[in-house]
Amino acid sequence: MPPRNSSVEQRALRLIYDAGEEGLLQSELWKLLDVSSREGSRLAKKFEEKGRIVRDKVINDGRWTYKLVSKNEPVTLDSVRGCPCLICSEVEKCFRGGTQDPVYCLLLTAWIDPRIETDA
Ligand code: SF4
């Protein structure tokens, strides 16, 4: 079982991500997570330092606070366009340690970084 902190962090990042471009006020996040403002502020600073979120200083109900906005972009179909796995006949046998292994697949490697010479 993962440590509680990791679970709280994952939930926090998910809530901030789900808030989209509008972001989420710090105080709202702490209520949703049921953590203290001190613990919440520590998390927000940590996420900002790791480049996961932006903290925008805003006034809410006459008091300064932070709005937290995720820096993660939503995944789009463009991000997987041309991926060889989408049309690969071996996909069901392909996993770590399987008959096919994505770590050693030359087609996938060439798609991820065309600068790498693979002869694929
Ligand atoms: S990693 Fe390679 S073998 Fe595996 S599904 Fe993708 S293209 Fe096929």
Side-chain angles (χ1 to χ4, degrees):
M1 178 184 249
R4 181 179 182 272
N5 280 354
S6 146
S7 161
V8 170
E9 288 181 16
Q10 292 300 321
R11 284 173 47 220
L13 287 169
R14 182 76 217 184
L15 287 164
I16 297 168
Y17 177 80
D18 287 346
E21 293 176 4
E22 291 296 314
L24 198 58
L25 292 175
Q26 276 196 164
S27 55
E28 292 172 358
L29 182 63
W30 317 153
K31 285 178 196 158
L32 291 169
L33 291 173
D34 194 25
V35 298
S36 68
S37 60
R38 181 178 173 166
E39 170 68 3
S41 295
R42 189 190 66 76
L43 277 176
K45 283 181 192 164
K46 181 176 173 181
F47 294 155
E48 186 178 47
E49 285 167 10
K50 289 187 170 187
R52 307 290 303 271
I53 67 165
V54 172
R55 289 195 311 157
D56 288 332
K57 200 168 185 180
V58 295
I59 291 182
N60 183 56
D61 289 336
R63 303 181 73 171
W64 284 105
T65 184
Y66 287 99
K67 188 167 72 171
L68 312 176
V69 182
S70 176
K71 289 176 82 174
N72 284 4
E73 297 286 330
V75 175
T76 66
L77 282 179
D78 280 346
S79 65
V80 293
R81 189 182 309 273
C83 175
C85 305
L86 298 175
I87 57 167
C88 181
S89 61
E90 303 294 315
V91 72
E92 292 186 10
K93 302 176 201 160
C94 187
F95 53 89
R96 285 306 315 266
T99 312
Q100 302 292 326
D101 188 328
V103 171
Y104 302 108
C105 177
L106 299 180
L107 288 171
L108 184 59
T109 300
W111 176 74
I112 290 170
D113 190 346
R115 296 171 300 179
I116 298 173
E117 292 187 25
T118 60
D119 295 330

